[in-house]
Every structure is written in C-alpha cells, then in structure tokens.
Amino acid sequence: MVMSKLKLTDRDWKGFAVEDIFNIHTGKDLILSKVEEGHIPIVSHSEINNGIQVFSKNISKHKIFDSNTTISLADRGTFKSFVQPYDFYIGTRVKGLEIKNDVSKNVLKFLTACIDKQSILFSYGRNACQRLNKTKIMLPENSDGLPDWQFMEDFIKQKEQKQILGCVGIFADDVIYYVID
C-alpha cells in the first residue's frame, strides 16, 4: 500500500460486535482516596488525562492490564476509550477491552476512534454496561470479511507521519528564522 494515499472512504466497512474483537473485563470497586500512591495508573471513568485518576502500588486481587493489548473504556456516564502508555488497573465503571488478535498499538489507536463513534448510543440514563458486548463498531474489512488490521496499522502510521512532518516543518521554519535574524 502507498502510505500517502490511504483514505477511509476507499474501504468497505462492516459492523463487528465488541465481544468478537475483544475479551471484556469489568473493573472492580476501588476507593481512589484509599489507594497507596505508587507508579501504576488507575483508569477511572473520566474523559481527561486518558482517564487516569491516580497512580498506585500493586493492588492484590486486581489485574494489571497490558497497555499493548488492552484499551480502557469508561462505560458509564461517559463512553470514552483510551490507549494507555503504561500497563494499568481499571477502576469502577471502566472496562478493559483486551484484543483477541495479535495487533500493534497503532491498531488499538484506530480502534479507539471507532469505539468512540458509538458514544452517541450511550449516556447517564443509557449505560453501556449490559449492552457493550453486542455493540457493533464499524471497522474496515478485508476481502475475507474480517477486520483489516493492516489497513488500520498503515492508516495510523500515515497520520502520525503527517503530524511529525508538520512539526518538523514548524521547527525548521523557527530555526531558519532565528538563524537569519
């Protein structure tokens, strides 16, 4: 694929149930004010700071999710997903969506955008808790009718490359300005 030519409109899209793409884990109750401060992020049901509320020490009987294979999703009140930079815990009102396929973090980034598009279906009065597993997310499909993981990977790489080049251009302009001045 030519990276500079990838367009979302050039793909066929299909709805896939969340449960077909992910193993869904539900967060356990955590009283954040009683958590011992440490280095492991706890993701709560916030839309800011990647949903991270506090950092804790190891918490017994709580699963630490692998940030390379799991998306955090605030499923009550807000419906917002994040790719986390570090392995993490999930708190109350948060799901851990552990991908069933071997994919990169770039694919997880693409998936968060697709998941977040479904936020219009949910609100405080209509939570995703019992509906999440059957909720369909629209994804590009390959010729076999399966999610096109390679397209998702390449599309995110293309977007990131464009952003990097934009930043480099701004930096280069600043350097030239200061050198000439």
Side-chain angles (χ1 to χ4, degrees):
M1 273 186 225
V2 178
M3 296 254 310
S4 62
K5 302 269 185 185
L6 295 177
K7 295 180 184 173
L8 296 175
T9 54
D10 292 343
R11 296 316 238 194
D12 289 328
W13 290 70
K14 178 178 167 184
F16 294 90
V18 171
E19 68 184 355
D20 293 337
I21 306 295
F22 299 99
N23 293 314
I24 304 168
H25 303 273
T26 300
K28 295 181 179 180
D29 286 338
L30 284 172
I31 300 170
L32 298 180
S33 62
K34 296 192 183 211
V35 169
E36 226 181 313
E37 189 175 328
H39 66 282
I40 304 166
I42 297 177
V43 179
S44 186
H45 62 283
S46 174
E47 289 186 52
I48 58 171
N49 200 30
N50 267 28
I52 297 170
Q53 293 292 309
V54 296
F55 289 81
S56 76
K57 289 187 176 179
N58 285 329
I59 303 171
S60 64
K61 298 182 183 177
H62 279 74
K63 179 178 177 152
I64 296 178
F65 289 92
D66 183 344
S67 64
N68 293 307
T69 60
T70 309
I71 293 170
S72 64
L73 173 67
D75 69 334
R76 290 186 230 167
T78 63
F79 190 82
K80 181 70 178 156
S81 62
F82 293 104
V83 173
Q84 298 297 336
Y86 311 105
D87 294 350
F88 59 96
Y89 289 117
I90 56 174
T92 310
R93 300 183 186 141
V94 180
K95 300 286 192 212
L97 304 180
E98 194 171 37
I99 190 85
K100 291 181 177 181
N101 295 80
D102 185 21
V103 299
S104 71
K105 234 172 181 172
N106 282 336
V107 172
L108 295 181
K109 290 174 187 178
F110 190 99
L111 290 169
T112 59
C114 297
I115 290 166
D116 289 350
K117 292 287 184 190
Q118 299 308 314
S119 66
I120 60 168
L121 301 174
F122 306 105
S123 65
Y124 271 103
R126 185 171 159 77
N127 293 318
C129 323
Q130 304 304 321
R131 300 174 183 93
L132 180 62
N133 58 339
K134 301 290 183 200
T135 298
K136 300 241 181 190
I137 53 174
M138 297 301 291
L139 299 175
E141 66 175 325
N142 63 23
S143 59
D144 297 325
L146 300 171
D148 193 341
W149 306 120
Q150 189 61 54
F151 173 79
M152 294 180 222
E153 170 75 21
D154 293 342
F155 186 81
I156 292 298
K157 281 182 179 175
Q158 173 183 286
K159 287 292 186 188
E160 288 179 345
Q161 183 180 27
K162 186 176 178 181
Q163 284 183 328
I164 289 167
L165 290 174
C167 291
V168 168
I170 290 168
F171 179 72
D173 289 346
D174 286 347
V175 169
I176 291 169
Y177 175 78
Y178 288 114
V179 170
I180 293 173
D181 234 11

